[in-house]
Amino acid sequence: MEAIRAFQRAAMSENTRRGNETDLLAFGEWCRNRGVSDLPAEPITLAAYLTYAANLVDEHGDYFYAPGTLGRWVGSINKAHFLKGFPKPGADPEVVFTMAGIRRERARPEARKAPLLLADLKRVLGEIDLHSWPAGVIGQRDATIMLFGFAGAYRRSELAALTLQDVRLHPEDGLHVLLRQSKTDQESRGAVKGLPYGANPTTCPPCAFVRWVRILAATATGRAETMRVLRDVDTSKHVCRGPLPELATLDLSLPLFRPVMKNGNILDRAITGGVVNIVVQRRVAASGMNAPIYGAHSLRAGFVTQAFRAGATHHEVMRQTLHKGITTLEIYSRENDPLRHNAVTRIGL
């Protein structure tokens, strides 16, 4: 039975499981405070809960919960009922029509982060300290995160999950990076993304990878060696074509991107997706740009927008983003490149 339960738990990602548990705890507490059952719950109880939450406002008078959040709650509650053999309350007309009304009355534009385009990425990278101790250590990591995130069109959770053994230097292509699992690949079939050699050493993903590997190897030797490697960094020249013996000295099972302490020490555990978001906002702010409109997703959105502006087809973009369909890509195109293939450009204004 324990082996069975282990496989059943593995059917759901850890983030999804935590989210479901949080949703159910909140619903359970609300029901107990009102003396009604949460499992099984009557459809009218769930409809009342959703109505209560939909009418909550913050200190500015704005509605606290978006319809999408309430819809996720319904999914969590339905799943809990299904697993216990009870009818799903969210499938009842009481709940279906309540949610339909909430979506209609509380509709609001989805807040999306601005894309970080290539020119802005170059600006941000140009402000990162790659040489001094200890700032250069975290600078090398952050520059590599941003280049991987942009060129690979990664989600932040995907960046955080990469290990050294997932990255392979390729003599013709640059880097082959194994993505073991993604949001659209929950069964871990895996996929390989290519991060090509760049014309500019500053924006060349393989160069960033080589420089970061050399830092990782140097920190295992000591502070003096790390400082020497930092001093020798030259972003005006490519370093990606030569040998990389330092890679053989590292434990390849360890994460590629790791926490860096203020004293320059690098921990052996992985960063979280939240750290990627912090890195992007901090580096964007340091370059003088409006940091609040940017985040980790700006790297992925920036790749898609830049690719479309360069004339890439949907299929070409999907080869890198691993989207399953073009619907989401059309959202990027409409919002961030609205004049592409738009008849308004042909009417002679």
Side-chain angles (χ1 to χ4, degrees):
M1 288 305 298
E2 180 56 34
I4 291 172
R5 298 298 180 229
F7 279 128
Q8 291 174 345
R9 288 193 294 270
M12 189 185 305
S13 73
E14 184 61 31
N15 285 342
T16 301
R17 185 160 47 251
R18 282 199 299 266
N20 286 351
E21 290 172 354
T22 300
D23 297 342
L24 293 172
L25 286 172
F27 180 57
E29 182 178 1
W30 186 88
C31 289
R32 283 190 295 275
N33 289 338
R34 287 156 180 80
V36 295
S37 172
D38 62 321
L39 191 66
E42 293 293 331
I44 193 63
T45 299
L46 179 53
Y49 177 61
L50 297 171
T51 300
Y52 161 80
N55 286 320
L56 291 175
V57 295
D58 61 19
E59 66 272 18
H60 305 294
D62 297 322
Y63 292 109
F64 201 81
Y65 294 111
T69 301
L70 304 185
R72 190 197 73 211
W73 293 356
V74 174
S76 297
I77 293 165
N78 277 344
K79 183 175 293 185
H81 281 69
F82 171 75
L83 293 176
K84 292 294 185 180
F86 298 125
K88 298 177 181 179
D92 190 274
E94 289 277 13
V95 179
V96 171
F97 283 107
T98 299
M99 274 304 306
I102 290 172
R103 290 190 182 98
R104 186 179 181 90
E105 292 293 321
R106 300 287 187 265
R108 61 189 184 191
E110 185 175 348
R112 292 188 176 89
K113 293 299 183 182
L116 189 69
L117 300 181
L118 182 57
D120 294 327
L121 177 63
K122 291 178 178 178
R123 175 179 171 181
V124 171
L125 293 173
E127 295 295 327
I128 297 178
D129 180 357
L130 302 176
H131 302 278
S132 69
W133 168 271
V137 177
I138 194 169
Q140 293 284 356
R141 184 204 66 176
D142 289 359
T144 310
I145 285 175
M146 297 196 70
L147 277 171
F148 267 58
F150 182 88
Y154 286 103
R155 299 177 177 89
R156 60 184 182 177
S157 59
E158 296 168 352
L159 283 171
L162 290 177
T163 66
L164 282 166
Q165 64 190 357
D166 294 332
V167 186
R168 183 167 65 91
L169 283 164
H170 190 278
E172 296 179 1
D173 297 345
L175 298 175
H176 284 185
V177 185
L178 174 63
L179 182 61
R180 297 177 182 273
Q181 186 182 60
S182 69
K183 181 179 179 181
T184 55
D185 179 26
Q186 292 295 316
E187 296 182 2
S188 301
R189 293 185 177 91
V192 174
K193 293 192 177 190
L195 276 58
Y197 294 111
N200 186 334
T202 304
T203 54
C204 175
C207 281
F209 173 71
V210 168
R211 289 192 290 263
W212 176 234
V213 165
R214 288 176 176 168
I215 292 296
L216 289 173
T219 54
T221 303
R223 175 175 174 177
E225 177 63 12
T226 306
M227 294 176 72
R228 184 194 66 77
V229 171
L230 288 170
R231 283 196 306 268
D232 291 344
V233 169
D234 184 358
T235 55
S236 67
K237 298 178 181 179
H238 282 282
V239 294
C240 53
R241 295 286 186 172
L244 186 60
E246 294 88 351
L247 193 58
T249 68
L250 299 172
D251 181 350
L252 300 185
S253 67
L254 290 177
L256 174 62
F257 300 121
R258 314 171 195 174
V260 180
M261 309 304 288
K262 290 183 178 180
N263 61 2
N265 289 340
I266 301 175
L267 305 183
D268 284 344
R269 58 180 172 81
I271 61 171
T272 64
V275 170
V276 179
N277 198 63
I278 292 170
V279 165
V280 173
Q281 291 198 323
R282 182 176 66 236
R283 295 303 181 179
V284 165
S287 70
M289 297 165 61
N290 184 19
I293 68 172
Y294 294 96
H297 191 68
S298 296
L299 301 174
R300 183 173 168 88
F303 168 85
V304 174
T305 306
Q306 194 75 57
F308 277 140
R309 292 187 178 187
T313 65
H314 285 81
H315 176 72
E316 289 171 329
V317 173
M318 289 165 63
R319 283 288 301 273
Q320 194 73 328
T321 63
L322 303 180
H323 279 102
K324 297 299 185 182
I326 68 172
T327 304
T328 303
L329 291 181
E330 279 298 321
I331 294 174
Y332 289 108
S333 183
R334 287 197 305 270
E335 295 188 358
N336 301 320
D337 193 15
L339 295 181
R340 185 173 182 266
H341 299 319
N342 191 329
V344 73
T345 61
R346 299 177 181 268
I347 63 179
L349 291 176

